[in-house]
Amino acid sequence: MSPEKTPNKYVYLFNEFDQATAKFDGDWEGVRSLLGGKGANLLDATQQGIPVPPGFTVTTEGCNDYLAAGEQFPDGLWDQELAAIDELEKQTGKQFGTAENPLLVSCSSGAKFSMPGMMDTILNIGMNDEIVGKLATRTRRPRFAWDLYRRLIQMFGGVVMGVPDEVFEAVITAQRREYRAKNDAELNAEAWQAVTLRFKEIIRTYTGAEFPSDPYEQLKLATEAVFKSWNGKRAFDYRDASNIPHDLGTAVNIQTMVFGNIGDDCATGVFMSRNATTGEPQLEGDYLINAQGEDVVSGARQTLRIGELKNDMPDMFAELVDIAGRLEKHHRNMQDMEFTVEQGKMWL
C-alpha cells in the first residue's frame, strides 16, 4: 500500500521567512517567483521588524495548480488557508466571521512582476449584516461600520461578481446629491446604510445571486477571483506586450485590515522614500486623514502632500522617515510604500 501523498505547501504566513527561504536555499528570486513581488516584500519587511499587519500569501504554485485542475482548488490549499486564518486570529486576538471582535482581511493579487490591470484589491472581507450592526454598536461609530461594509460589497460586487463599478458609483453620486454632500467624507451612517442596501439590490439584479453573507465563502471566492484574473484579457495582453511568461501564475495576499477611517487620529497614504525626480532623500507622496487607502488613489478626495504629515502627526511622520531609511538601506534602492495610521499606531 503506497503512503498518502502530502499536499504541497501552498500558504506561507508573513512570519514564515525561514521556511520560504529554505525552500530555495536562500535564493530570493525563487522566493519572489513563489510568493510574488508583494508577498515576498511583506515577508521580508516582517522579518526586518517593520510594522506589517499580519497576513499570509497563497503561492503562485497554488494558482497554477488551480487553473490546471479546471479551476478547482488543489488538494490541501483551502485547508491551509483555514489554518492560516486560525493563526491570524491568534496573532490579532480577533475572530474571523464573528460579531463580537471581528477579524477583517483584504485580498490582493501579486505576481512576480508588477502588472497593472490585474485584479483590484478587495477590502474588509469578513463583514455581513450581523457583524456591521454589532460593530456599529460596539465602536459607537456607526458611520465607520457602514462605510466598511459598503466598500466590501462594492469591491466584491465588481471584482468577484462582475458588476460594473460605474453602477455603484452612480448610487453614491445620487446619495451625495440627496444629502448635499461635497464628498464621500460628508455622508453619515444613515446615508451609507442606504447605499449598502441599494448595492445589494444591484448585485441581485445584475447577477441573479445574493452577496454572500458567509465570511469564509467571501474569502474563498476572492481567492478564486485572484487566480482567475491571471488569465483575464487585460493581464494576458499586458504580459504579451511586456514579454512576461504566461506560466508564472499570481500569488494571493490575505492581510489583516487596519483602519485609517475610524477618526481624526487615523490616516492613510502612499509614498516613496525619496524624490523620484531629483533623488533627494525627502519623502514624496500623498495622504488623507480619516480615510481608507482607495480614497487616496481614486482621486475622489483632494489629498495632502506627505510633508504636511509632519504637522498633523509629527510622531508618525518621524516613524515613516525612519522606516523608509531602514528599507532603503536593506534593499539598496528607493522604496514605494503604503501606510495606515490606526488610532496613533503606524502600519506599513
Side-chain angles (χ1 to χ4, degrees):
M1 188 173 173
S2 60
E4 270 191 38
K5 183 185 175 186
T6 304
N8 289 337
K9 182 171 174 60
Y10 288 118
V11 173
Y12 287 83
L13 293 153
F14 292 167
N15 60 7
E16 291 188 311
F17 183 88
D18 292 342
Q19 293 92 319
T21 52
K23 180 179 172 77
F24 299 96
D25 296 324
D27 174 24
W28 193 245
E29 280 305 299
V31 177
R32 279 175 51 84
S33 295
L34 183 71
L35 302 181
K38 183 171 184 174
N41 285 340
L42 289 168
L43 182 94
D44 184 57
T46 302
Q47 176 73 4
Q48 299 302 318
I50 304 299
V52 172
F56 60 89
T57 299
V58 185
T59 66
T60 56
E61 291 177 351
C63 173
N64 284 330
D65 289 354
Y66 170 88
L67 296 173
E71 299 187 349
Q72 297 291 322
F73 274 17
D75 184 38
L77 191 154
W78 181 239
D79 288 339
Q80 291 174 34
E81 275 204 59
L82 295 178
I85 287 289
D86 287 345
E87 187 57 37
L88 293 192
E89 291 178 337
K90 293 172 188 171
Q91 291 180 26
T92 62
K94 299 179 179 182
Q95 295 287 311
F96 190 69
T98 64
E100 291 308 316
N101 189 19
L103 170 67
L104 305 180
V105 298
S106 63
C107 177
S108 60
S109 58
K112 180 178 181 180
F113 303 106
S114 179
M115 288 179 52
M118 286 287 285
M119 191 202 85
D120 296 323
T121 299
I122 303 172
L123 303 179
N124 310 324
I125 291 170
M127 295 281 287
N128 58 27
D129 292 354
E130 180 188 6
I131 289 172
V132 72
K134 279 286 181 78
L135 190 65
T137 303
R138 189 172 60 82
T139 62
R140 297 180 182 176
R141 290 184 170 93
R143 183 199 181 279
F144 163 69
W146 284 101
D147 187 29
L148 295 187
Y149 196 24
R150 70 90 186 174
R151 289 174 191 263
L152 166 62
I153 295 172
Q154 182 174 359
M155 293 177 175
F156 194 96
V159 172
V160 178
M161 304 183 80
V163 179
D165 192 59
E166 53 266 27
V167 182
F168 294 122
E169 286 298 327
V171 172
I172 297 173
T173 300
Q175 198 73 344
R176 282 201 303 264
R177 193 178 300 118
E178 181 181 337
Y179 279 75
R180 297 180 180 176
K182 291 193 291 289
N183 55 50
D184 293 355
E186 295 183 2
L187 290 175
N188 61 19
E190 180 186 51
W192 285 129
Q193 186 171 2
V195 165
T196 302
L197 294 175
R198 184 74 185 102
F199 281 0
K200 285 187 166 188
E201 291 172 3
I202 286 169
I203 287 175
R204 198 178 302 120
T205 300
Y206 264 79
T207 69
E210 300 288 336
F211 170 77
S213 61
D214 178 1
Y216 286 98
E217 185 181 358
Q218 294 170 15
L219 180 64
K220 192 169 190 177
L221 289 172
T223 301
E224 289 191 271
V226 177
F227 288 161
K228 291 173 183 177
S229 73
W230 178 253
N231 283 336
K233 185 178 187 306
R234 286 187 303 170
F236 204 92
D237 290 347
Y238 183 86
R239 290 197 299 273
D240 271 346
S242 304
N243 294 316
I244 296 173
H246 291 295
D247 60 355
L248 297 178
T250 183
V252 185
N253 298 297
I254 307 295
Q255 191 166 19
T256 302
M257 285 295 305
V258 291
F259 303 107
N261 61 331
I262 300 177
D264 289 340
D265 57 351
C266 305
T268 188
V270 294
F271 71 105
M272 291 177 285
S273 56
R274 59 182 58 229
N275 187 301
T277 305
T278 67
E280 290 179 88
Q282 294 177 333
L283 304 189
E284 182 178 53
D286 301 273
Y287 75 100
L288 284 169
I289 301 290
N290 194 13
Q292 280 201 310
E294 62 165 326
D295 300 328
V296 176
V297 297
S298 69
R301 289 174 60 184
Q302 181 66 47
T303 58
L304 303 168
R305 302 304 295 169
I306 195 71
E308 295 179 50
L309 190 66
K310 191 172 186 178
N311 300 320
D312 286 338
M313 298 179 174
D315 291 347
M316 297 296 97
F317 183 78
E319 190 168 351
L320 280 187
V321 171
D322 175 63
I323 289 169
R326 285 164 58 194
L327 286 175
E328 267 203 356
K329 185 175 181 181
H330 175 66
H331 290 287
R332 293 178 293 185
N333 207 339
M334 188 173 87
Q335 299 298 295
D336 183 8
M337 293 161 279
E338 303 173 36
F339 75 92
T340 291
V341 177
E342 182 184 74
Q343 297 183 308
K345 163 72 175 170
M346 176 64 73
W347 295 99
L348 264 286

